[in-house]
Amino acid sequence: MKIKVGLVGLPNVGKSTLFNAIAQKTIAEAKNFPFCTIDPNITPIPIPDPNLFKLATLANSKKTIPAHIFLIDVAGLVKGASRGEGLGNKFLATIRECDIIIHVVRSYIDDDVIHVDGKIDPIADSEVVNLELLLADLSHVQRRLEKTTCVGEERDVLVRVELALDNGIPARSVGLTPDEASTIKSMGLLTLKPVIYAFNVEEVDFALNKDEITKLAEAYMKQIQCDSDKDSYLIVSAKLEAEMSSLTEEERIEYMESIGIECSDSDAIGKILSYNSLPLKVKNVLDLKSVYTGPGVPSERSQTTKTHILASNSLSASTLAGRLHGDLKKGFMHAEVINSADLIQYDNYNAAKEDGSIRMEGKEYTLQDGDVVYIKWK
């Protein structure tokens, strides 16, 4: 499945710089003026997964394909975006297609980078964005309720959502059940999507004052209109990360140590920087599952180990087979299944099989996070 992640925020808060840092290359133009970004930028970002490479080694695979999220950088949002101000209509249409929102909040002072309101105020900035998303949803819901085709459970759900929005409460805080949410999923309500706030701080604060800015971020979260169960935050320094994106691993380690951050290798760096931590945060917030294919297939038939990312709702072995190839689903006999953490304890797949650790499951088996699946078919 294709997980879309939208970067939102006011102009000049560091969205495009952060986008480039996470992409590890320059894609989006980052300039010191509003609406530098007009057309959305999109790029696939791999989800870090150490198990994938362990499984590939075990299977003698020549190729690995990690699961990806798709990061989307859109134009800065301004007051009145819900009424089409700035690039509001284009912005909102793009974000409606996303599964989760990364709300970039400027938390640094730089006289060389203008602020649309002339002052740095993370709370006020967040409220502008949140209000515009809420007003856009309210208008969207009211237009739908005016339609004669809006009946039954859909109407009941939207009436509840409208009441909440009218009182300044985002749709994700209404307490909809999964079934209720699914009845209005096609509307792409902006405030129904989970949010990760990315507090973009100065390089010095990121390096030397992490504890202090973490406390500040937690205080911000209490003041911002957010859902404590569905919203979370990250602390980033887009400028620092963008500067490091073009460096070699050795140069990155030297750079990090020069600003007071100790790290020994790329894994240690990855735990600190958002090109690694943000995809993992998205996976966690959306409750996505990782399922692997390839290790059980004879090397002469397949030399690829692949991660498949699945939504939190149930997915059967038969459905996975269909996603891989129609013939696999049509001729499905059974699936050989083992958890990846268990499989990597063995020298190879056959050793795990001989030890009795691999079990057979039918087409209705619900896939679990970390499953390694080998589909047997006629």
Side-chain angles (χ1 to χ4, degrees):
M1 62 182 299
K2 195 170 185 177
I3 302 297
K4 294 182 180 180
V5 180
L7 285 175
V8 310
L10 295 178
N12 292 358
V13 297
K15 296 190 313 302
S16 295
T17 303
L18 182 62
F19 177 89
N20 290 334
I22 297 170
Q24 296 287 284
K25 55 186 174 181
T26 301
I27 299 174
E29 189 175 9
K31 299 291 185 180
N32 183 21
F33 56 85
F35 308 120
C36 171
T37 299
I38 297 178
D39 294 321
N41 297 295
I42 181 168
T43 188
I45 305 294
I47 299 176
D49 186 355
N51 280 346
L52 175 64
F53 300 101
K54 293 175 183 177
L55 292 170
T57 300
L58 177 144
N60 293 318
S61 297
K62 292 183 178 180
K63 184 179 180 182
T64 58
I65 303 177
H68 289 76
I69 61 172
F70 288 81
L71 192 64
I72 303 173
D73 175 39
V74 298
L77 182 147
V78 295
K79 290 179 181 178
S82 58
R83 303 188 304 275
E85 296 292 331
L87 297 173
N89 291 331
K90 194 170 188 177
F91 164 92
L92 296 172
T94 301
I95 297 302
R96 287 200 190 284
E97 298 177 356
C98 293
D99 299 282
I100 186 170
I101 291 173
I102 308 297
H103 184 161
V104 184
V105 182
R106 181 172 172 176
S107 307
Y108 66 89
I109 297 174
D110 186 340
D111 294 335
D112 294 328
V113 180
I114 61 174
H115 188 285
V116 288
D117 290 331
K119 62 178 180 178
I120 307 301
D121 188 337
I123 300 300
D125 290 357
S126 301
E127 289 175 345
V128 168
V129 173
N130 287 336
L131 179 60
E132 292 301 328
L133 298 182
L134 190 145
L135 291 174
D137 273 358
L138 181 58
S139 177
H140 193 32
V141 168
Q142 290 174 337
R143 287 196 301 271
R144 178 60 188 150
L145 284 171
E146 290 172 358
K147 304 288 185 181
T148 57
T149 53
C150 182
V151 296
E153 186 177 12
E154 181 191 9
R155 172 168 288 276
D156 294 340
V157 171
L158 287 181
V159 167
R160 289 170 57 198
V161 171
E162 180 190 27
L163 179 61
L165 293 172
D166 203 34
N167 284 280
I169 300 170
R172 62 186 176 279
S173 298
V174 174
L176 301 180
T177 66
D179 286 342
E180 288 173 334
S182 69
T183 65
I184 59 172
K185 183 179 179 181
S186 62
M187 294 184 66
L189 293 183
L190 303 164
T191 64
L192 193 57
K193 305 177 189 300
V195 177
I196 298 175
Y197 289 86
F199 294 104
N200 188 13
V201 304
E202 294 183 38
E203 297 150 283
V204 173
D205 285 333
F206 186 84
L208 303 177
N209 302 319
K210 205 64 174 285
D211 290 342
E212 183 178 333
I213 60 174
T214 297
K215 292 178 182 177
L216 193 58
E218 290 173 352
Y220 287 157
M221 290 294 287
K222 291 180 180 178
Q223 298 178 63
I224 295 171
Q225 181 192 59
C226 63
D227 187 308
S228 59
D229 293 328
K230 297 187 178 180
D231 300 344
S232 55
Y233 73 89
L234 281 175
I235 295 170
V236 302
S237 177
K239 185 177 179 181
L240 181 149
E241 296 198 34
E243 290 173 349
M244 291 184 61
S245 63
S246 61
L247 303 180
T248 64
E249 180 180 334
E250 185 177 340
E251 290 171 333
R252 290 184 183 191
I253 292 173
E254 290 180 5
Y255 186 93
M256 297 284 268
E257 290 179 345
S258 73
I259 60 175
I261 300 177
E262 293 186 9
C263 56
S264 55
D265 53 32
S266 58
D267 288 340
I269 295 173
K271 292 176 182 177
I272 298 170
L273 302 183
S274 59
Y275 73 85
N276 194 9
S277 59
L278 188 140
L280 290 174
K281 191 84 168 180
V282 168
K283 182 176 185 288
N284 181 59
V285 171
L286 292 179
D287 192 21
L288 302 175
K289 300 175 183 177
S290 294
V291 174
Y292 306 90
T293 56
V297 180
S299 58
E300 67 271 13
R301 288 174 49 196
S302 175
Q303 296 183 337
T304 300
T305 296
K306 183 174 182 179
T307 306
H308 306 267
I309 199 74
L310 311 175
S312 56
N313 56 319
S314 299
L315 187 73
S316 68
S318 176
T319 303
L320 175 64
R323 291 187 179 184
L324 297 174
H325 197 287
D327 288 346
L328 290 182
K329 184 173 184 178
K330 189 183 298 182
F332 186 102
M333 294 191 298
H334 64 263
E336 293 182 359
V337 181
I338 181 174
N339 187 271
S340 56
D342 295 330
L343 180 56
I344 59 179
Q345 304 302 315
Y346 293 90
D347 292 333
N348 53 56
Y349 188 85
N350 286 336
K353 198 169 186 177
E354 290 169 5
D355 194 40
S357 294
I358 293 174
R359 64 188 187 276
M360 288 196 301
E361 299 287 357
K363 62 173 63 177
E364 300 304 322
Y365 169 71
T366 300
L367 298 169
Q368 303 298 313
D369 187 38
D371 276 351
V372 177
V373 184
Y374 177 27
I375 306 295
K376 303 289 283 187
W377 62 295
K378 296 178 184 177

